[in-house]
Coordinates of all heavy atoms in Angstrom, one line a residue:
Q1 N 0.9 -1.2 0.0 CA 0.0 0.0 0.0 C 0.9 1.3 0.0 O 1.9 1.3 0.7 CB -0.9 0.0 1.2 CG -1.9 -1.1 1.2 CD -2.7 -1.1 2.5 OE1 -2.2 -0.9 3.6 NE2 -4.0 -1.5 2.4
V2 N 0.5 2.2 -0.7 CA 1.3 3.5 -0.8 C 0.4 4.7 -0.6 O -0.8 4.7 -0.8 CB 2.0 3.5 -2.2 CG1 3.0 2.4 -2.4 CG2 1.0 3.6 -3.3
T3 N 1.1 5.7 -0.3 CA 0.5 7.1 -0.3 C 1.1 8.0 -1.5 O 2.4 8.1 -1.5 CB 0.7 7.8 1.0 OG1 0.1 7.0 2.0 CG2 0.1 9.2 1.0
V4 N 0.3 8.4 -2.4 CA 0.9 9.2 -3.5 C 1.2 10.6 -3.1 O 0.3 11.3 -2.5 CB -0.1 9.2 -4.7 CG1 0.3 10.0 -5.8 CG2 -0.4 7.8 -5.1
N5 N 2.5 11.0 -3.3 CA 2.9 12.3 -2.8 C 2.9 13.3 -4.0 O 2.5 14.4 -3.7 CB 4.4 12.2 -2.4 CG 4.6 11.2 -1.2 OD1 3.7 11.1 -0.4 ND2 5.6 10.5 -1.3
R6 N 3.2 12.9 -5.2 CA 3.1 13.8 -6.4 C 2.6 13.0 -7.5 O 2.7 11.8 -7.7 CB 4.5 14.2 -6.8 CG 5.0 15.3 -5.9 CD 6.5 15.7 -6.4 NE 6.3 16.5 -7.6 CZ 7.4 16.9 -8.4 NH1 8.6 16.6 -8.0 NH2 7.2 17.6 -9.4
R7 N 1.8 13.7 -8.4 CA 1.2 13.0 -9.5 C 1.3 13.9 -10.7 O 1.0 15.0 -10.7 CB -0.3 12.7 -9.2 CG -1.0 12.0 -10.3 CD -2.4 11.6 -9.8 NE -2.3 10.5 -8.8 CZ -3.2 10.2 -7.9 NH1 -4.3 10.8 -7.9 NH2 -2.9 9.2 -7.1
K8 N 1.9 13.3 -11.8 CA 2.0 14.0 -13.1 C 1.3 13.2 -14.1 O 0.8 12.1 -13.8 CB 3.5 14.2 -13.4 CG 4.3 15.1 -12.5 CD 4.0 16.5 -12.7 CE 4.8 17.4 -11.8 NZ 4.7 18.8 -12.1
N9 N 1.3 13.7 -15.4 CA 0.6 12.9 -16.4 C 1.2 11.5 -16.7 O 0.5 10.6 -16.9 CB 0.7 13.7 -17.8 CG -0.3 14.9 -17.7 OD1 -1.2 15.0 -16.9 ND2 0.0 15.9 -18.5
Q10 N 2.6 11.4 -16.6 CA 3.3 10.2 -17.0 C 3.8 9.4 -15.8 O 4.4 8.3 -16.0 CB 4.4 10.5 -18.0 CG 4.0 11.2 -19.2 CD 3.1 10.3 -20.1 OE1 3.4 9.1 -20.2 NE2 2.2 10.8 -20.8
W11 N 3.7 9.9 -14.6 CA 4.3 9.2 -13.4 C 3.7 9.7 -12.1 O 3.1 10.7 -12.1 CB 5.9 9.4 -13.4 CG 6.3 10.9 -13.3 CD1 6.6 11.7 -14.4 CD2 6.5 11.6 -12.1 NE1 6.9 13.0 -13.9 CE2 6.9 12.9 -12.5 CE3 6.5 11.4 -10.8 CZ2 7.2 13.9 -11.6 CZ3 6.7 12.4 -9.9 CH2 7.2 13.6 -10.3
E12 N 3.9 8.9 -11.1 CA 3.5 9.2 -9.8 C 4.7 9.0 -8.8 O 5.5 8.1 -9.1 CB 2.3 8.5 -9.3 CG 1.0 8.8 -10.1 CD -0.1 7.9 -9.6 OE1 0.0 7.0 -8.8 OE2 -1.2 8.2 -10.1
Q13 N 4.8 9.7 -7.7 CA 5.8 9.6 -6.7 C 5.0 9.2 -5.4 O 4.0 9.8 -5.1 CB 6.6 10.8 -6.4 CG 7.7 10.6 -5.4 CD 8.5 11.9 -5.2 OE1 7.8 13.0 -5.2 NE2 9.7 11.8 -5.1
A14 N 5.4 8.1 -4.8 CA 4.7 7.6 -3.6 C 5.6 7.1 -2.6 O 6.8 6.8 -2.8 CB 3.7 6.5 -4.1
S15 N 5.0 6.9 -1.3 CA 5.8 6.4 -0.2 C 5.0 5.1 0.2 O 3.8 5.1 0.2 CB 5.8 7.4 1.0 OG 6.4 8.6 0.6
V16 N 5.8 4.1 0.6 CA 5.3 2.9 1.0 C 4.7 3.0 2.4 O 5.3 3.5 3.3 CB 6.3 1.7 1.0 CG1 5.7 0.4 1.6 CG2 6.8 1.5 -0.4
V17 N 3.4 2.6 2.6 CA 2.8 2.6 3.9 C 2.8 1.3 4.5 O 3.1 1.1 5.7 CB 1.3 3.1 3.7 CG1 0.6 3.1 5.0 CG2 1.2 4.5 3.2
A18 N 2.5 0.2 3.8 CA 2.6 -1.2 4.3 C 2.9 -2.1 3.2 O 2.5 -1.9 2.0 CB 1.2 -1.5 4.9
R19 N 3.6 -3.2 3.5 CA 3.9 -4.3 2.6 C 3.0 -5.5 2.9 O 2.8 -5.9 4.1 CB 5.3 -4.8 2.8 CG 6.2 -4.4 1.7 CD 7.6 -4.9 1.8 NE 8.0 -5.8 2.9 CZ 8.8 -5.5 3.8 NH1 9.4 -4.2 3.9 NH2 9.2 -6.3 4.8
R20 N 2.2 -6.0 1.9 CA 1.3 -7.1 2.2 C 2.0 -8.4 2.3 O 1.7 -9.2 3.2 CB 0.3 -7.2 1.0 CG -0.7 -6.1 1.0 CD -1.7 -6.3 0.0 NE -2.6 -5.2 0.0 CZ -3.6 -5.1 -0.9 NH1 -3.8 -6.0 -1.8 NH2 -4.4 -4.1 -0.8
R21 N 3.1 -8.6 1.5 CA 3.9 -9.9 1.7 C 5.3 -9.6 1.1 O 5.4 -8.7 0.1 CB 3.2 -11.1 1.0 CG 3.0 -10.9 -0.5 CD 2.3 -12.2 -1.1 NE 2.0 -12.0 -2.5 CZ 0.9 -11.4 -2.9 NH1 0.0 -10.9 -2.1 NH2 0.7 -11.2 -4.2
D22 N 6.2 -10.3 1.5 CA 7.6 -10.1 1.0 C 7.8 -11.0 -0.3 O 7.2 -12.0 -0.4 CB 8.6 -10.6 2.1 CG 8.8 -9.6 3.1 OD1 8.3 -8.4 3.1 OD2 9.2 -10.0 4.3
S23 N 8.6 -10.4 -1.2 CA 9.0 -11.2 -2.4 C 9.9 -12.4 -2.0 O 10.6 -12.3 -0.9 CB 9.8 -10.2 -3.3 OG 10.5 -10.9 -4.3
A24 N 9.9 -13.3 -2.8 CA 10.8 -14.5 -2.6 C 12.2 -14.1 -2.7 O 13.2 -14.8 -2.3 CB 10.5 -15.6 -3.5
Q25 N 12.5 -12.9 -3.4 CA 13.8 -12.4 -3.6 C 14.3 -11.5 -2.5 O 15.4 -10.9 -2.7 CB 13.9 -11.8 -5.0 CG 13.7 -12.8 -6.2 CD 13.7 -12.1 -7.5 OE1 13.2 -10.9 -7.6 NE2 14.1 -12.9 -8.5
R26 N 13.4 -11.2 -1.6 CA 13.8 -10.3 -0.5 C 14.8 -10.9 0.5 O 14.5 -12.1 0.9 CB 12.5 -9.9 0.2 CG 12.9 -8.7 1.2 CD 11.5 -8.1 1.8 NE 11.8 -6.9 2.5 CZ 11.9 -5.7 2.0 NH1 11.6 -5.6 0.7 NH2 12.1 -4.7 2.8
V27 N 15.8 -10.2 0.8 CA 16.8 -10.7 1.8 C 17.0 -9.6 2.9 O 16.5 -8.5 2.7 CB 18.1 -11.0 1.2 CG1 18.0 -12.2 0.2 CG2 18.8 -9.8 0.5
T28 N 17.6 -10.0 4.0 CA 17.9 -9.1 5.1 C 19.1 -8.2 4.7 O 20.2 -8.8 4.4 CB 18.1 -9.7 6.4 OG1 17.0 -10.6 6.7 CG2 18.4 -8.8 7.5
P29 N 19.0 -6.8 4.7 CA 20.1 -6.0 4.2 C 21.2 -6.2 5.3 O 20.9 -6.3 6.5 CB 19.6 -4.6 4.3 CG 18.1 -4.8 4.2 CD 17.7 -6.1 4.9
R30 N 22.5 -6.2 4.8 CA 23.6 -6.4 5.7 C 24.0 -5.1 6.4 O 24.6 -5.1 7.5 CB 24.8 -7.0 5.0 CG 24.6 -8.4 4.8 CD 25.9 -9.1 4.1 NE 27.1 -8.8 4.9 CZ 28.3 -9.2 4.5 NH1 28.4 -9.9 3.3 NH2 29.3 -9.0 5.1
C31 N 23.8 -4.0 5.8 CA 24.3 -2.7 6.3 C 23.3 -2.2 7.4 O 22.1 -2.1 7.2 CB 24.3 -1.6 5.3 SG 24.8 0.0 5.8
P32 N 23.8 -1.8 8.6 CA 22.9 -1.4 9.7 C 22.3 0.0 9.4 O 21.4 0.3 10.0 CB 23.9 -1.3 10.9 CG 25.2 -1.2 10.3 CD 25.2 -1.9 9.0
H33 N 22.8 0.7 8.3 CA 22.2 2.0 8.0 C 21.2 1.9 6.8 O 20.8 3.0 6.4 CB 23.4 3.0 7.7 CG 24.4 3.0 8.7 ND1 24.2 3.7 9.9 CD2 25.7 2.6 8.8 CE1 25.2 3.5 10.7 NE2 26.1 2.9 10.0
F34 N 20.9 0.7 6.4 CA 20.0 0.5 5.3 C 18.7 1.2 5.6 O 18.2 1.1 6.7 CB 19.8 -0.9 4.9 CG 18.7 -1.1 3.9 CD1 19.1 -0.9 2.5 CD2 17.5 -1.5 4.2 CE1 18.1 -1.1 1.5 CE2 16.5 -1.7 3.2 CZ 16.9 -1.5 1.9
G35 N 18.2 2.0 4.7 CA 16.9 2.6 4.9 C 17.0 4.0 5.4 O 16.1 4.8 5.4
T36 N 18.1 4.4 6.0 CA 18.3 5.7 6.6 C 19.2 6.6 5.8 O 19.0 7.8 5.7 CB 18.7 5.7 8.1 OG1 19.9 4.9 8.1 CG2 17.6 5.0 9.0
C37 N 20.3 6.0 5.2 CA 21.3 6.9 4.6 C 21.0 7.1 3.1 O 21.4 8.0 2.5 CB 22.8 6.3 4.8 SG 23.2 5.0 3.6
G38 N 20.2 6.1 2.5 CA 19.9 6.3 1.1 C 20.9 5.8 0.1 O 20.8 6.0 -1.1
G39 N 22.0 5.3 0.6 CA 23.1 4.9 -0.3 C 22.9 3.6 -1.2 O 23.0 3.6 -2.4
C40 N 22.4 2.6 -0.6 CA 22.3 1.3 -1.2 C 20.8 0.9 -1.2 O 20.4 0.1 -0.3 CB 23.2 0.2 -0.5 SG 24.9 0.7 -0.4
K41 N 20.1 1.3 -2.2 CA 18.6 1.2 -2.1 C 18.1 -0.3 -2.4 O 17.0 -0.5 -2.1 CB 18.0 2.2 -3.0 CG 18.2 3.6 -2.7 CD 17.5 4.5 -3.6 CE 17.8 6.0 -3.4 NZ 17.3 6.6 -2.1
M42 N 19.0 -1.1 -2.9 CA 18.5 -2.5 -3.3 C 19.1 -3.6 -2.4 O 19.1 -4.7 -2.8 CB 18.8 -2.7 -4.7 CG 17.9 -1.9 -5.6 SD 17.9 -2.6 -7.3 CE 19.3 -1.7 -8.0
Q43 N 19.7 -3.3 -1.2 CA 20.3 -4.3 -0.4 C 19.2 -5.3 0.1 O 19.7 -6.4 0.4 CB 20.8 -3.6 0.9 CG 22.2 -3.1 0.7 CD 22.9 -2.8 2.1 OE1 22.6 -3.4 3.1 NE2 23.6 -1.7 2.1
H44 N 17.9 -5.0 0.1 CA 17.0 -6.0 0.5 C 16.6 -6.9 -0.6 O 15.8 -7.8 -0.4 CB 15.7 -5.2 0.9 CG 15.1 -4.5 -0.2 ND1 15.6 -3.3 -0.8 CD2 14.0 -4.8 -0.9 CE1 14.8 -2.9 -1.8 NE2 13.8 -3.8 -1.9
F45 N 17.3 -6.8 -1.8 CA 17.0 -7.6 -3.0 C 18.1 -8.6 -3.2 O 19.3 -8.3 -3.0 CB 17.0 -6.6 -4.1 CG 16.0 -7.0 -5.3 CD1 14.9 -7.7 -5.1 CD2 16.2 -6.4 -6.5 CE1 14.1 -8.0 -6.0 CE2 15.3 -6.7 -7.6 CZ 14.3 -7.5 -7.3
Q46 N 17.7 -9.8 -3.4 CA 18.7 -10.9 -3.7 C 19.7 -10.5 -4.7 O 19.3 -9.8 -5.7 CB 17.9 -12.2 -4.0 CG 18.8 -13.4 -4.3 CD 19.2 -13.7 -5.7 OE1 18.6 -13.1 -6.6 NE2 20.3 -14.4 -5.8
I47 N 21.0 -10.8 -4.6 CA 22.1 -10.2 -5.4 C 21.9 -10.5 -6.9 O 22.1 -9.5 -7.7 CB 23.4 -10.6 -5.0 CG1 24.5 -9.9 -5.7 CG2 23.7 -12.1 -5.2 CD1 24.5 -8.4 -5.4
G48 N 21.4 -11.6 -7.3 CA 21.2 -11.9 -8.7 C 20.1 -11.0 -9.3 O 20.2 -10.5 -10.5
A49 N 19.1 -10.8 -8.5 CA 18.0 -9.9 -9.0 C 18.4 -8.5 -9.0 O 18.0 -7.7 -9.9 CB 16.8 -10.1 -8.0
Q50 N 19.3 -8.1 -8.1 CA 19.9 -6.7 -8.1 C 20.6 -6.5 -9.5 O 20.4 -5.5 -10.1 CB 20.9 -6.5 -7.0 CG 20.3 -6.1 -5.6 CD 21.5 -5.8 -4.7 OE1 22.4 -5.2 -5.0 NE2 21.3 -6.3 -3.5
V51 N 21.5 -7.4 -9.8 CA 22.2 -7.3 -11.0 C 21.3 -7.2 -12.2 O 21.5 -6.4 -13.2 CB 23.2 -8.4 -11.2 CG1 23.9 -8.4 -12.6 CG2 24.3 -8.4 -10.1
A52 N 20.3 -8.0 -12.3 CA 19.3 -8.0 -13.4 C 18.6 -6.7 -13.5 O 18.4 -6.2 -14.6 CB 18.3 -9.2 -13.2
V53 N 18.2 -6.2 -12.4 CA 17.4 -4.8 -12.4 C 18.4 -3.8 -12.9 O 18.0 -2.9 -13.7 CB 16.9 -4.5 -11.0 CG1 16.4 -3.1 -10.9 CG2 15.8 -5.5 -10.6
K54 N 19.6 -3.7 -12.3 CA 20.6 -2.7 -12.8 C 20.9 -2.8 -14.3 O 21.0 -1.8 -14.9 CB 21.9 -2.8 -11.9 CG 21.6 -2.4 -10.5 CD 22.9 -2.7 -9.6 CE 22.6 -2.4 -8.2 NZ 23.7 -2.6 -7.3
Q55 N 21.0 -4.0 -14.8 CA 21.3 -4.2 -16.3 C 20.0 -3.7 -17.0 O 20.2 -3.0 -18.0 CB 21.5 -5.6 -16.6 CG 21.8 -5.8 -18.1 CD 22.3 -7.2 -18.5 OE1 22.3 -8.1 -17.6 NE2 22.6 -7.3 -19.7
R56 N 18.8 -4.0 -16.6 CA 17.6 -3.5 -17.2 C 17.5 -2.0 -17.3 O 17.2 -1.4 -18.3 CB 16.4 -4.1 -16.7 CG 15.1 -3.7 -17.3 CD 15.1 -4.3 -18.8 NE 14.0 -3.7 -19.5 CZ 12.9 -4.4 -19.8 NH1 12.8 -5.7 -19.3 NH2 11.9 -4.0 -20.4
V57 N 17.9 -1.3 -16.2 CA 17.9 0.1 -16.1 C 18.8 0.7 -17.0 O 18.6 1.7 -17.7 CB 18.1 0.6 -14.6 CG1 18.4 2.1 -14.6 CG2 17.0 0.2 -13.7
L58 N 20.1 0.2 -17.1 CA 21.1 0.6 -18.0 C 20.6 0.4 -19.5 O 20.7 1.4 -20.3 CB 22.4 -0.2 -17.9 CG 23.5 0.1 -18.9 CD1 23.9 1.6 -18.7 CD2 24.7 -0.9 -18.6
E59 N 20.1 -0.7 -19.8 CA 19.5 -0.9 -21.2 C 18.4 0.1 -21.5 O 18.4 0.7 -22.6 CB 18.9 -2.3 -21.3 CG 20.0 -3.4 -21.2 CD 19.3 -4.8 -21.2 OE1 18.1 -5.0 -21.7 OE2 19.9 -5.7 -20.7
D60 N 17.5 0.2 -20.6 CA 16.4 1.3 -20.8 C 16.9 2.6 -21.0 O 16.5 3.4 -21.9 CB 15.4 1.2 -19.7 CG 14.5 -0.1 -19.7 OD1 14.6 -0.8 -20.6 OD2 13.9 -0.3 -18.6
N61 N 17.9 3.1 -20.1 CA 18.4 4.4 -20.2 C 19.1 4.6 -21.6 O 19.0 5.7 -22.2 CB 19.4 4.7 -19.1 CG 18.6 5.0 -17.8 OD1 17.4 5.4 -17.8 ND2 19.2 4.8 -16.7
L62 N 19.9 3.6 -22.0 CA 20.7 3.7 -23.3 C 19.6 3.8 -24.4 O 19.8 4.6 -25.3 CB 21.5 2.5 -23.5 CG 22.8 2.5 -22.7 CD1 23.5 1.1 -22.8 CD2 23.7 3.6 -23.0
A63 N 18.6 3.0 -24.3 CA 17.6 3.1 -25.4 C 16.8 4.4 -25.4 O 16.7 5.0 -26.5 CB 16.6 1.9 -25.3
H64 N 16.3 4.8 -24.3 CA 15.4 6.0 -24.3 C 16.2 7.3 -24.3 O 15.7 8.2 -24.9 CB 14.5 5.9 -23.1 CG 13.5 4.8 -23.2 ND1 13.6 3.7 -22.4 CD2 12.4 4.7 -23.9 CE1 12.6 2.9 -22.7 NE2 11.8 3.5 -23.6
L65 N 17.2 7.4 -23.5 CA 18.0 8.7 -23.4 C 19.0 8.8 -24.5 O 19.2 9.8 -25.1 CB 18.6 8.8 -22.1 CG 17.6 8.8 -20.9 CD1 18.4 8.8 -19.6 CD2 16.7 9.9 -21.0
G66 N 19.8 7.7 -24.7 CA 20.8 7.7 -25.7 C 20.5 7.3 -27.0 O 21.3 7.4 -28.0
K67 N 19.3 6.7 -27.3 CA 18.8 6.2 -28.6 C 19.8 5.2 -29.1 O 20.1 5.1 -30.3 CB 18.7 7.3 -29.6 CG 17.8 8.5 -29.1 CD 16.4 8.1 -28.8 CE 15.6 9.3 -28.6 NZ 14.6 9.1 -27.5
V68 N 20.3 4.4 -28.2 CA 21.3 3.3 -28.5 C 20.7 1.9 -28.2 O 20.1 1.7 -27.1 CB 22.6 3.5 -27.7 CG1 23.5 2.3 -28.0 CG2 23.2 4.8 -27.9
K69 N 20.7 1.0 -29.1 CA 20.2 -0.4 -28.9 C 21.4 -1.3 -29.1 O 22.0 -1.2 -30.2 CB 19.1 -0.7 -29.8 CG 18.6 -2.1 -29.6 CD 17.2 -2.2 -30.2 CE 16.6 -3.7 -30.1 NZ 16.2 -4.0 -28.7
A70 N 21.7 -2.2 -28.2 CA 22.7 -3.1 -28.3 C 22.5 -4.2 -29.3 O 21.4 -4.7 -29.4 CB 23.0 -3.7 -26.9
G71 N 23.5 -4.5 -30.1 CA 23.3 -5.6 -31.1 C 23.4 -6.9 -30.5 O 22.8 -7.9 -30.9
Q72 N 24.1 -7.0 -29.3 CA 24.3 -8.3 -28.6 C 24.4 -8.0 -27.1 O 25.1 -7.0 -26.7 CB 25.6 -8.9 -29.0 CG 26.0 -10.2 -28.3 CD 27.3 -10.8 -28.7 OE1 28.1 -10.1 -29.4 NE2 27.6 -12.0 -28.3
M73 N 23.7 -8.7 -26.3 CA 23.7 -8.5 -24.8 C 24.6 -9.5 -24.2 O 24.5 -10.7 -24.4 CB 22.3 -8.6 -24.3 CG 21.4 -7.6 -24.7 SD 21.9 -5.9 -24.5 CE 22.0 -5.8 -22.7
L74 N 25.6 -9.1 -23.5 CA 26.5 -10.0 -22.8 C 26.0 -10.2 -21.3 O 25.3 -9.3 -20.8 CB 28.0 -9.5 -22.8 CG 28.5 -9.2 -24.2 CD1 29.9 -8.6 -24.0 CD2 28.6 -10.5 -25.0
R75 N 26.5 -11.2 -20.7 CA 26.1 -11.4 -19.2 C 26.8 -10.3 -18.5 O 27.9 -9.9 -18.8 CB 26.7 -12.8 -18.7 CG 25.8 -13.9 -19.2 CD 26.3 -15.2 -18.4 NE 25.9 -15.0 -17.0 CZ 26.8 -15.1 -16.0 NH1 28.1 -15.4 -16.2 NH2 26.5 -15.0 -14.7
P76 N 26.2 -9.8 -17.4 CA 26.8 -8.7 -16.6 C 28.0 -9.3 -15.9 O 28.1 -10.5 -15.5 CB 25.7 -8.4 -15.6 CG 24.5 -9.1 -15.9 CD 24.8 -10.1 -17.0
I77 N 29.0 -8.4 -15.7 CA 30.1 -8.8 -14.9 C 29.8 -8.7 -13.5 O 29.3 -7.6 -13.0 CB 31.3 -7.9 -15.3 CG1 31.7 -8.1 -16.7 CG2 32.6 -8.2 -14.4 CD1 32.7 -7.0 -17.3
E78 N 30.1 -9.7 -12.6 CA 29.8 -9.7 -11.2 C 31.0 -10.0 -10.5 O 31.8 -10.9 -10.8 CB 28.7 -10.7 -10.9 CG 27.4 -10.5 -11.6 CD 26.4 -11.5 -11.1 OE1 26.2 -11.8 -9.9 OE2 25.7 -12.1 -11.9
G79 N 31.2 -9.3 -9.3 CA 32.3 -9.5 -8.4 C 31.8 -10.0 -7.1 O 30.7 -10.5 -7.1
P80 N 32.6 -10.0 -6.1 CA 32.1 -10.5 -4.8 C 31.0 -9.6 -4.4 O 30.9 -8.4 -4.6 CB 33.3 -10.2 -3.9 CG 34.5 -10.1 -4.8 CD 34.0 -9.6 -6.1
T81 N 30.0 -10.2 -3.7 CA 28.8 -9.5 -3.2 C 29.2 -8.4 -2.2 O 28.7 -7.3 -2.3 CB 27.8 -10.5 -2.6 OG1 27.5 -11.4 -3.5 CG2 26.6 -9.8 -2.2
W82 N 30.0 -8.7 -1.3 CA 30.4 -7.7 -0.3 C 31.9 -7.6 -0.3 O 32.8 -8.1 0.2 CB 30.0 -8.2 1.1 CG 28.5 -8.0 1.2 CD1 27.6 -9.0 1.0 CD2 27.8 -6.9 1.6 NE1 26.3 -8.5 1.1 CE2 26.4 -7.2 1.5 CE3 28.2 -5.6 1.9 CZ2 25.5 -6.3 1.8 CZ3 27.2 -4.7 2.2 CH2 25.8 -5.0 2.1

């Protein structure tokens, strides 16, 4: 459940009021400052899912903002989680 803070024609900004159920990909964030500092917004997300989301955001930004479409998609490079 959310409370909508701002509403425009193409988007809305909202704050989470309550979560009905957790995703199967939800994990406990390791950083004690998660949720307060704003640095690592996806720590609650399983690492493989984090990488997939970040790759999708990059692809979307390249397509919409840069008007670039990759001819071939390679697997993301992953290092140690922590």
Side-chain angles (χ1 to χ4, degrees):
Q1 295 175 321
V2 298
T3 298
V4 176
N5 304 321
R6 283 181 75 187
R7 185 170 288 160
K8 296 283 186 176
N9 289 339
Q10 300 294 322
W11 60 271
E12 293 180 355
Q13 182 183 42
S15 301
V16 175
V17 176
R19 252 184 2 248
R20 291 187 180 176
R21 63 183 174 273
D22 288 339
S23 166
Q25 296 175 329
R26 189 174 189 87
V27 295
T28 302
R30 281 185 55 184
C31 179
H33 306 291
F34 175 75
T36 56
C37 83
C40 307
K41 296 182 186 291
M42 287 198 270
Q43 275 192 37
H44 65 287
F45 214 21
Q46 185 266 340
I47 190 64
Q50 279 187 40
V51 172
V53 167
K54 290 174 183 179
Q55 182 174 3
R56 181 60 188 262
V57 168
L58 176 61
E59 292 172 25
D60 288 348
N61 286 339
L62 286 172
H64 292 103
L65 302 175
K67 308 297 185 223
V68 176
K69 181 161 175 77
Q72 178 184 9
M73 296 304 296
L74 303 175
R75 283 191 67 238
I77 298 170
E78 295 182 49
T81 303
W82 289 93

